[in-house]
Amino acid sequence: MEEDEGTEEQERFSHRQRLKAAVHYTVGCLCEDVASDKEVQFSKQTIAAISELTFRQCEHFAKDLEMFARHAKRSTINTEDVKLLARRSNSLLKYITEKNEELTQFNIEQRAKKKKKLEDDKTKSLAPAEAAASGRDSLALSPGAEAAFGEGRQEQADSPERRMKLSAFILSF
Amino acid sequence: MEATGGGFRKELVSKLLQMHFTDSKTKVSGDALRLMAELLTIFVVAEAAIRSVRQAQAEDLALVDVDQLEKVLPQLLLDF
């Protein structure tokens, strides 16, 4: 029993260590960018201190976020909770709100793109489906039709007009 | 829109937060995760790093050491 607890503790500890190491790496990269930008150097202790600091702040952030979500009777943390977290300094709140708006804008654009892509795909899948159906009905395809169908299959990726022409051609039989 | 080369990755932020949740049902939405990554990047880069750099520049030093970080720490923690 105690052994299990011991190994569990150890696992949790090494999990923590791995996360800390990941944070340290990211912090190091970010500090390097700042250093080259401002033409100063960061001592190793400073980077270690900043990453330890970030790690501890995450604990505070996490607890606060959970409390906010629970207060709103939700189990999923959303952007409003994050905005509440950033309330302490005005400029930070403004920045985070701006980012949030950029994000929602981006999401809307992504959804519009996906919808467009789905519609495009639908028209693309309709054309060869029709061709296949009419192909099954008339067993003996004339050489012209076969050639057109073969060609259409080869260049399926990027010629919707070709496919439209192809389906029109086959439907004419 | 995605975090530039030196940014916190979403999975890392997610794991960091998950570690301190007391309720196992608590989850983070995708958008909130991205905002948190931005917030953490701001915290590290803009605040901790750049404030320390400014402190070092005010003291005419080329190396940013823990002493400079110590001096900016109180205000940093109050702002967050």
Side-chain angles (χ1 to χ4, degrees), chain A residues 12 15-16 18-20 22-23 25-27 29-31 33-34 38-43 45-46 49-50 53-63 65-67 69-70 75-79 82-83 85-86 88-89 92 95-96 99-100 102-104 106-107, chain B residues 1-2 5-9 11-12 15-36 38-50 52-54 56-57 61-67 69 73 76-80:
Chain A
R12 231 179 295 154
H15 188 69
R16 255 177 93 90
R18 264 179 282 149
L19 281 178
K20 270 199 196 178
V23 171
Y25 175 70
T26 315
V27 169
C29 289
L30 289 169
C31 285
D33 292 339
V34 174
K38 304 275 176 183
E39 288 170 14
V40 282
Q41 260 202 326
F42 279 90
S43 73
Q45 295 96 327
T46 312
I50 298 183
L53 188 60
T54 315
F55 196 73
R56 295 219 190 149
Q57 280 300 92
C58 274
E59 181 169 356
H60 293 292
F61 289 164
K63 294 222 170 101
L65 285 172
E66 193 182 4
M67 291 287 153
R70 203 182 292 175
S75 63
T76 310
I77 293 170
N78 69 7
T79 55
V82 181
K83 274 198 250 177
L85 190 68
R88 291 244 160 79
S89 100
L92 184 67
Y95 179 79
I96 291 290
K99 282 282 154 190
N100 191 19
E102 268 183 42
L103 212 87
T104 31
F106 183 68
N107 281 348
Chain B
M1 182 57 222
E2 291 299 326
F8 278 89
R9 289 189 314 282
E11 313 90 53
L12 179 59
K15 289 210 187 118
L16 276 171
L17 295 176
Q18 289 281 349
M19 210 170 62
H20 296 120
F21 286 154
T22 49
D23 192 4
S24 53
K25 287 191 227 132
T26 314
K27 292 181 285 251
V28 194
S29 81
D31 286 345
L33 207 55
R34 270 195 233 180
L35 277 183
M36 273 309 294
E38 281 291 334
L39 187 66
L40 280 172
T41 313
I42 287 289
F43 180 68
V44 173
V45 178
E47 303 311 305
I50 293 188
S52 318
V53 171
R54 266 193 237 142
Q57 284 171 341
L61 293 167
L63 180 68
V64 184
D65 216 346
V66 263
D67 301 320
L69 182 62
L73 205 56
L76 181 64
L77 291 179
L78 281 172
D79 282 339
F80 276 85

